[in-house]
Amino acid sequence: LQVDAPGQNVFVRGLEGSGRLTLLRRVLEETRLSCPASPDRCAVRNFEEPDRPLLIEMTRGTGRKFRLAVEDLVNFIVEDLGPALAGEALRERRDAMQSAYDATLKGVVEPFEQKLDALGLALVTISAGQTQHPAIVPKIDGQPIMPEAFDAAVAEGTIAEEARDQIIALIADTRPELDQITLEVERMQHEHQTRMRQFVQSEARALLAGRAARILAEFESDVTRDFLDGLIEDYVERRLGREQYGAKELHLLYAVNVIVAHRADTGCPVVAETAPTLQNLLGGVEADPGGESGLRADHTRIRAGSLLRANGGFLLIEARDILPEPGAWQVLMRTLRTGMVEMVPPEISGNIPIAIKPVPAPVRVKVILIGDPGMYYALEAMDQDFAQQFKVLVDFEPTIPIEAGAVDMYAGVLAKIVRAAQLPPIHNSGVAVLAEYGARIAARNDELSARFGPVSYT
């Protein structure tokens, strides 16, 4: 159990009813092996591939604390970031940038307006639906007149046709210069808007980086740093200033889903999987009943299976339980061979609609498979990888020699069975009768049966 090397998984071979699982549990509890490699596991958003959540490892005992720290960061984004960006110091800098832009814009447009004024023309902005565009119009009595009013004045004879033709010619002559100025103004507006957006983003990054630094001071690692950097960049580039991302949406996007948690002072995880189905081994993604067709899901709905829960420790499985389950044996062997858990194996993802598919996660787990001799030889013949992955064979003898203490051991086992079943205490004469029955099962006068199942049924 202490050997940490590839293929050192254990097959416990013995007859059913010989107390294999009970003894294994006791050995693992009594030895209390140290397992520094059993981390907490968290499902988080993958900012590069949102439909491929990451299953990151955290130092054991820190997963829940990290989740709360990230919640505080999101609360800061929701409640405090906006007011901080609207503060007086930043507002003064934005006003200064706006004033500089207005002055530059005036320097481009004002000379042209003066030229038009000298020609009896004016530059105005005309609205057309949701858009606006500049236009050159004539002046009548020193005031700009819109095209509709100008046409009406010509029709009424207020403006002579000769004057109209001269005005139209002047407008046509100045139009190319207007087009050039319009392009220049649009370029300047785009650059100004970009600078203002980059200014706000830069300040937001600085504020969020300060909060993230406090988290990293407690949870410093490459994975936490990458996640927090990705969170900040995702918010600043994709969410900042967009009203559709409220508190609920942001908490959902950036939540840390702790799928495996350990106390820092606990021993190795020991998981006995009594129903080793494909889903129970791998875990999976629960569909959101509120989503479309019930198929919507996100990283907050990922649940760990026994392979992830036993990571860094031991997974106990009855061979007779896992073999009938479709796909379960293949997935177990693939995990041991590759050292990676795929929550949605390729053969599954190709047949059903999958909302998200978590990125495969590394695991280091020692599997203890329990079965009888026939099962062992069947697996050896069926799977060429079996012998490579289960190099440790433990045999349970079917009988116990009748030596000093053998009957006392029988009495201890029977007492445990009585306590578990909440039966009346067993008399010493009853122990003697059951020991005799065990000898009859063994069919020897110097041995007792190690199969306590048939004895306990008596």
Side-chain angles (χ1 to χ4, degrees):
L1 295 177
Q2 289 179 314
V3 174
D4 183 16
Q8 298 298 312
N9 299 292
V10 181
F11 190 99
V12 176
R13 189 169 64 180
L15 297 176
E16 184 179 355
S18 58
R20 300 164 303 183
L21 184 57
T22 301
L23 179 59
L24 285 170
R25 285 178 181 269
R26 191 176 73 193
V27 168
L28 290 168
E29 289 172 1
E30 290 178 354
T31 53
R32 297 191 63 81
L33 300 174
S34 175
C35 293
S38 52
D40 289 357
R41 184 85 63 168
C42 303
V44 298
R45 183 176 179 82
N46 184 343
F47 299 108
E48 299 298 327
E49 299 179 81
D51 60 341
R52 301 272 286 161
L54 301 174
L55 305 179
I56 65 173
E57 291 185 354
M58 301 282 300
T59 303
R60 63 184 304 163
T62 63
R64 292 191 177 100
K65 295 178 182 179
F66 183 67
R67 179 189 64 195
L68 294 176
V70 173
E71 284 182 5
D72 287 343
L73 175 61
V74 178
N75 286 332
F76 172 79
I77 291 174
V78 172
E79 299 171 4
D80 302 324
L81 183 60
L85 292 175
E88 183 176 351
L90 296 184
R91 185 171 61 251
E92 289 178 355
R93 291 173 62 185
R94 284 197 300 270
D95 290 346
M97 293 172 65
Q98 184 66 45
S99 297
Y101 166 72
D102 292 341
T104 304
L105 183 64
K106 183 178 180 181
V108 172
V109 176
E110 193 171 71
F112 182 62
E113 289 180 328
Q114 292 173 352
K115 177 180 178 179
L116 293 178
D117 185 64
L119 296 173
L121 303 174
L123 182 63
V124 299
T125 300
I126 296 179
S127 298
Q130 299 295 322
T131 62
Q132 295 181 332
H133 63 88
I136 299 173
V137 298
K139 283 184 175 182
I140 303 298
D141 297 329
Q143 296 297 321
I145 181 171
M146 293 296 105
E148 297 82 1
F150 178 73
D151 293 340
V154 172
E156 293 171 358
T158 306
I159 298 176
E161 291 187 4
E162 182 179 354
R164 180 200 64 185
D165 294 342
Q166 291 177 350
I167 291 172
I168 292 175
L170 285 173
I171 292 175
D173 290 341
T174 56
R175 183 72 196 185
E177 187 174 355
L178 173 62
D179 292 341
Q180 291 181 355
I181 292 175
T182 300
L183 290 174
E184 178 65 13
V185 168
E186 290 176 351
R187 182 191 64 78
M188 292 171 58
Q189 286 177 339
H190 175 73
E191 289 181 354
H192 173 65
Q193 291 170 356
T194 300
R195 282 195 297 270
M196 293 292 283
R197 183 176 65 253
Q198 289 175 344
F199 169 74
V200 173
Q201 289 177 338
S202 176
E203 295 300 323
R205 282 192 186 93
L207 290 169
L208 294 177
R211 305 287 296 197
R214 302 178 194 175
I215 300 176
L216 288 172
E218 185 176 0
F219 306 98
E220 174 62 42
S221 71
D222 290 341
V223 293
T224 54
R225 182 177 296 279
D226 290 345
F227 171 69
L228 291 173
D229 287 347
L231 186 157
I232 293 171
E233 200 60 26
D234 181 79
Y235 176 75
V236 170
E237 290 291 337
R238 299 186 179 96
R239 327 287 174 188
L240 181 61
R242 300 186 181 182
E243 296 181 356
Q244 66 266 36
Y245 295 106
K248 181 178 179 180
E249 290 76 15
L250 292 177
H251 276 289
L252 186 63
L253 283 169
Y254 303 136
V256 174
N257 177 18
V258 183
I259 61 175
V260 178
H262 303 283
R263 282 172 36 198
D265 58 348
T266 56
C268 293
V270 178
V271 178
E273 182 53 79
T274 57
T277 63
L278 184 65
Q279 184 173 6
N280 286 346
L281 288 173
L282 293 179
V285 183
E286 297 177 354
D288 182 357
E292 297 179 3
S293 304
L295 295 175
R296 180 184 173 188
D298 55 66
H299 70 277
T300 63
R301 305 192 69 82
I302 293 175
R303 301 294 178 263
S306 52
L307 283 167
L308 279 177
R309 289 187 287 110
N311 182 30
F314 305 96
L315 176 60
L316 282 62
I317 302 175
E318 291 269 7
R320 66 175 183 175
D321 293 332
I322 189 172
L323 290 177
E325 296 294 340
W329 176 258
Q330 289 80 2
V331 162
L332 176 66
M333 294 302 290
R334 179 190 300 155
T335 302
L336 295 178
R337 188 173 63 251
T338 63
M340 304 291 289
V341 166
E342 286 188 85
M343 281 193 169
V344 185
E347 58 268 25
I348 300 298
S349 61
N351 298 326
I352 60 175
I354 301 294
I356 59 173
K357 184 179 178 181
V359 171
V363 292
R364 294 172 61 187
V365 60
K366 181 164 290 192
V367 175
I368 302 175
L369 201 61
I370 306 166
D372 57 38
M375 186 70 70
Y376 177 82
Y377 294 120
L379 289 172
E380 193 175 39
M382 176 187 75
D383 192 332
Q384 61 181 357
D385 291 331
F386 174 72
Q388 291 296 319
Q389 295 301 330
F390 288 86
K391 296 179 179 179
V392 181
L393 176 60
V394 178
D395 271 318
F396 269 56
E397 294 294 340
T399 59
I400 304 169
I402 299 180
E403 298 173 348
V407 176
D408 290 341
M409 182 272 293
Y410 242 56
V413 173
L414 293 171
K416 183 176 181 180
I417 293 172
V418 165
R419 286 194 300 271
Q422 297 182 340
L423 298 173
I426 188 168
H427 193 267
N428 56 1
S429 61
V431 175
V433 170
L434 292 173
E436 182 181 356
Y437 179 67
R440 287 204 305 272
I441 295 175
R444 299 283 299 271
N445 60 5
D446 59 348
E447 293 182 346
L448 298 175
S449 173
R451 299 181 64 200
F452 291 99
V455 174
S456 66
Y457 301 152
T458 308

